[in-house]
Amino acid sequence: MRAMHRDRANGLPFMKMHGLGNDFVVVDARAHDPGITEALARALGDRHFGVGFDQLAVIERGRGDAHLTFYNADGSLSAACGNATRCVAQYLMAESSQEKLHLTTARGDLVAEARADGLVAVNMGQPQLHWAEVPLAREMETLELPIEGAPTATGMGNPHCTFFVEDVSAVALESFGPQIEHHPLYPERTNVQVAQLLGPDHLRMRVWERGVGITWASGSSSCACAVAAARRGLTGRAVRIDLDGGTLWIDWREDGVWMTGPTAHVFDGTLTREFLESFA
């Protein structure tokens, strides 16, 4: 697979990828600094005036096989993005013919593996269960927060708030999501999940992502939801989670929370010099 490196004066190559409809623009910056700024990320994420994405992932050289930096659609940074990590891992493994990668992120060191069935798994690390690690605004137990609905707080390198409900389709996520995202208990805002138990170790989940909005899927949210369900005794540690865009399998093991699912590389493109210079 051809590496996507080019001088910015001639435009900036990118890849469009998705995991279950959770879509990404991926920029390979291992050869050249693409000069990504908050303003450029926000413009690129606009689905009318840019390319459009839930997250932007920038591949850089690092201590391991690569370092990944993530931006949300509003231009803000995110330490973790599970589905984007899996998509980038698939690209790098195809490029190098490796079946296992060591990736670094602001979240920490992550291991990704190719599965024989064509799916990609990534170890998202241990969940952060202490209030200060999530983080929350003040000391409290994270299993049931003092918010109506008694949600569970979990950190996966980014903050999460998980509500367990009778019917996820009955929740007006377009209004409920931003209300919880900006709740004063979450000083860095939060991702919001609503989940219902469908059967033994089987959950249905919908997602409002911090800095993005409603998304078809979210890897880190799925990990947080699985951890919350296990902590509350609703499921075991290995669960199937059905999202709007498809299914992920989460396994909270001794070495971390493993997430497995499909990836898709949709197309390659090049940002024009004119577009880039408007944010220079």
Side-chain angles (χ1 to χ4, degrees):
M1 187 176 294
R2 179 177 55 87
M4 305 191 69
H5 302 147
R6 190 181 299 175
D7 188 285
R8 180 168 171 163
N10 297 316
L12 180 63
F14 68 90
M15 296 171 279
K16 189 69 185 288
M17 299 179 170
H18 76 84
L20 306 180
N22 187 196
D23 67 328
F24 317 107
V25 164
V26 179
V27 174
D28 191 337
R30 288 175 291 174
H32 299 286
D33 179 4
I36 302 294
T37 63
E38 178 180 332
L40 176 56
R42 185 167 55 250
L44 183 54
D46 191 297
R47 296 187 184 276
H48 300 286
F49 295 96
V51 178
F53 59 71
D54 291 332
Q55 278 83 29
L56 166 66
V58 181
I59 309 172
E60 301 166 302
R61 295 191 181 277
R63 291 183 290 101
D65 293 295
H67 179 81
L68 306 183
T69 300
F70 304 108
Y71 294 83
N72 294 315
D74 67 355
S76 61
L77 286 166
S78 178
C81 184
N83 281 328
T85 299
R86 291 190 308 100
C87 287
V88 172
Q90 175 63 46
Y91 164 71
L92 294 175
M93 287 188 287
E95 176 190 70
S96 64
S97 298
Q98 296 175 244
E99 295 186 350
K100 187 173 183 178
L101 295 176
H102 170 205
L103 304 172
T104 60
T105 68
R107 155 67 164 150
D109 291 12
L110 307 179
V111 174
E113 296 179 348
R115 291 250 310 244
D117 57 7
L119 302 181
V120 178
V122 61
N123 183 350
M124 293 294 290
Q126 291 292 353
Q128 298 156 312
L129 307 180
H130 188 266
W131 71 272
E133 295 176 321
V134 174
L136 298 176
R138 62 180 187 272
E139 183 175 357
M140 67 185 68
E141 170 56 53
T142 58
L143 187 61
E144 294 188 1
L145 299 182
I147 298 174
E148 184 177 357
T152 297
T154 310
M156 290 300 308
N158 49 7
H160 295 272
C161 187
T162 307
F163 293 81
F164 292 95
V165 300
E166 291 295 322
D167 181 6
V168 296
S169 63
V171 178
L173 198 56
E174 64 278 5
S175 57
F176 182 71
Q179 173 189 345
I180 301 301
E181 176 188 353
H182 295 277
H183 196 282
L185 280 183
Y186 284 89
E188 296 179 5
R189 299 182 294 160
T190 185
N191 299 283
V192 183
Q193 304 90 38
V194 291
Q196 73 182 85
L197 187 65
L198 296 181
D201 300 329
H202 187 187
L203 296 166
R204 169 78 171 99
M205 186 183 81
R206 297 177 65 210
V207 185
W208 175 276
E209 286 201 65
R210 174 185 65 165
V212 182
I214 295 175
T215 58
W216 285 70
S218 169
S220 63
S221 288
S222 297
C223 292
C225 180
V227 168
R231 291 180 66 202
R232 295 175 77 128
L234 300 175
T235 67
R237 287 188 166 219
V239 300
R240 166 182 171 170
I241 298 184
D242 295 339
L243 302 109
D244 290 342
T247 298
L248 290 172
W249 289 266
I250 312 297
D251 191 358
W252 183 12
R253 307 177 194 170
E254 291 299 319
D255 63 344
V257 183
W258 283 84
M259 173 183 53
T260 303
T263 65
H265 184 160
V266 184
F267 65 86
D268 299 336
T270 302
L271 299 174
T272 66
R273 179 177 178 179
E274 290 77 13
F275 181 85
L276 295 169
E277 286 181 345
S278 65
F279 298 96

